[in-house]
């Protein structure tokens, strides 16, 4: 069994948040941050010369809240928000009126309020159905129908969520852009993530000579796997996860 190598000083580390650093909860605001996670990330920032970034579907401000007082380089909303250095201000990509049109269509669909909820992220719109998994197909159909006339929007399916966002940025774009500047430039990129949206980041790191680590057992391009969030923490802290294994579905 081939396991992910230990974190070495020449890496640039890109980490998803939900399902990777924290366990997924019934609602986005219900996640809990492990007590030692911030200390582990602070140590990695020192070890890797600052080349640690969170690349998440969440807004950056939410990441900052969960990791307080730590402030990391970050790409939020799948790259629609960026902060390439911890001391920088958050920059947002331009957003047109399409999301407001989609939100109106969803509000009139009859789905919202019976276990289905809208999370308005400003530059993206997420529809969660974790509390009502039987609504999955209905949510997807409503959103697919709504964006037929909104070609600038792209749907991304995640774990019990469908998200609409402008199509011109994703987690792969975020990794590529980070890697063009210090302190990431010249390092070996590694992306750790659990969901479909993380495959864009994993694909780019593999193409750039680095590697991806998939959390869980879903199909992936990643070279390595780690079983769950607890073992991700163990790997980041310097322990080799006992349930990591190479992909079989490349």
């Amino acid at each position: 069994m081939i396991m992910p190598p230990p974190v070495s000083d020449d890496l640039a580390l890109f980490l998803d948040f939900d399902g990777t650093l924290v366990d997924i909860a019934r609602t986005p605001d219900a996640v809990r941050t492990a007590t030692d996670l911030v200390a582990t990330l602070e140590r990695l920032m020192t070890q890797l010369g600052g080349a640690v970034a969170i690349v998440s579907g969440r807004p950056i401000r939410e990441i900052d809240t969960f990791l307080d007082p730590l402030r990391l380089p970050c790409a939020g909303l799948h790259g629609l928000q960026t902060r390439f250095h911890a001391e920088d201000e958050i920059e947002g990509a331009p957003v047109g009126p399409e999301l407001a049109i989609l939100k109106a269509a969803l509000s009139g669909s009859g789905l919202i309020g019976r276990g289905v909820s809208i999370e308005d992220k400003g530059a993206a719109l997420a529809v969660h159905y974790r509390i009502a998994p039987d609504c999955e197909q209905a949510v997807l159909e409503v959103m697919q129908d709504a964006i037929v006339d909104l070609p600038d929007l792209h749907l991304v399916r995640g774990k019990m969520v469908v998200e609409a966002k402008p199509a011109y940025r994703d987690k792969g774009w975020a990794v590529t852009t980070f890697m063009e500047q210090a302190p990431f430039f010249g390092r070996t990129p590694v992306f750790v993530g659990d969901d479909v949206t993380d495959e864009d980041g994993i694909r780019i790191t593999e193409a750039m000579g680095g590697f991806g680590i998939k959390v869980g057992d879903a199909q992936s391009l990643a070279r390595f796997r780690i079983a769950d969030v607890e073992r991700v923490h163990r790997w980041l802290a310097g322990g080799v996860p006992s349930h990591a294994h190479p992909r079989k579905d490349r």
Side-chain angles (χ1 to χ4, degrees):
M1 180 173 65
I2 303 173
M3 295 180 289
V7 178
S8 58
D9 296 351
D10 63 338
L11 298 183
L13 195 56
F14 300 98
L15 303 168
D16 175 45
F17 190 72
D18 293 271
T20 298
L21 295 181
V22 298
D23 287 307
I24 294 175
R26 283 173 63 85
T27 59
D29 59 350
V31 301
R32 295 292 179 264
T33 305
T35 55
D36 58 349
L37 177 60
V38 169
T40 296
L41 293 174
E42 287 178 332
R43 180 185 59 77
L44 284 169
M45 281 288 283
T46 299
Q47 178 185 350
L48 301 183
V52 179
I54 305 296
V55 183
S56 172
R58 285 183 182 265
I60 292 177
R61 294 296 185 201
E62 289 186 9
I63 301 297
D64 288 347
T65 297
F66 285 116
L67 297 180
D68 184 64
L70 183 61
R71 180 181 169 109
L72 291 175
C74 195
L77 305 180
H78 309 283
L80 293 171
Q81 289 183 346
T82 52
R83 184 175 66 209
F84 292 111
H85 305 92
E87 66 275 13
D88 292 348
E89 296 298 321
I90 297 171
E91 295 185 6
V95 178
E98 292 83 5
L99 287 171
I101 297 171
L102 175 59
K103 187 175 182 179
L106 287 165
S107 298
S109 68
L111 287 172
I112 310 305
R114 54 187 184 96
V116 178
S117 62
I118 297 176
E119 182 186 4
D120 189 342
K121 300 180 177 182
L125 199 68
V127 181
H128 298 271
Y129 53 88
R130 180 167 295 275
I131 299 175
D134 57 306
C135 291
E136 176 180 10
Q137 191 59 36
V139 167
L140 186 60
E141 289 176 359
V142 167
M143 295 185 75
Q144 287 174 333
D145 289 345
I147 70 165
V148 167
D149 297 322
L150 304 171
D152 289 339
L153 293 184
H154 169 65
L155 294 186
V156 179
R157 298 184 68 178
K159 293 180 177 178
M160 298 295 183
V161 62
V162 181
E163 190 158 351
K165 57 180 283 293
Y168 56 88
R169 290 191 185 181
D170 58 25
K171 292 187 177 184
W173 174 90
V175 170
T176 300
T177 308
F178 270 110
M179 290 298 295
E180 291 172 349
Q181 52 196 297
F184 301 88
F185 180 78
R187 291 174 170 269
T188 300
V190 175
F191 195 103
V192 188
D194 72 301
D195 210 346
V196 176
T197 59
D198 298 313
E199 290 301 304
D200 294 317
I202 288 170
R203 172 178 48 80
I204 288 296
T205 57
E206 295 274 351
M208 296 176 75
F211 59 89
I213 300 175
K214 186 73 167 184
V215 183
D217 58 5
Q219 185 175 358
S220 177
L221 296 170
R223 191 178 311 176
F224 303 104
R225 290 183 184 271
I226 294 177
D228 53 31
V229 169
E230 179 184 355
R231 290 176 175 84
V232 171
H233 290 187
R234 194 180 306 170
W235 180 73
L236 293 173
V240 179
S242 60
H243 286 69
H245 55 82
R247 67 173 179 263
K248 298 179 180 178
D249 46 16
R250 189 169 188 173

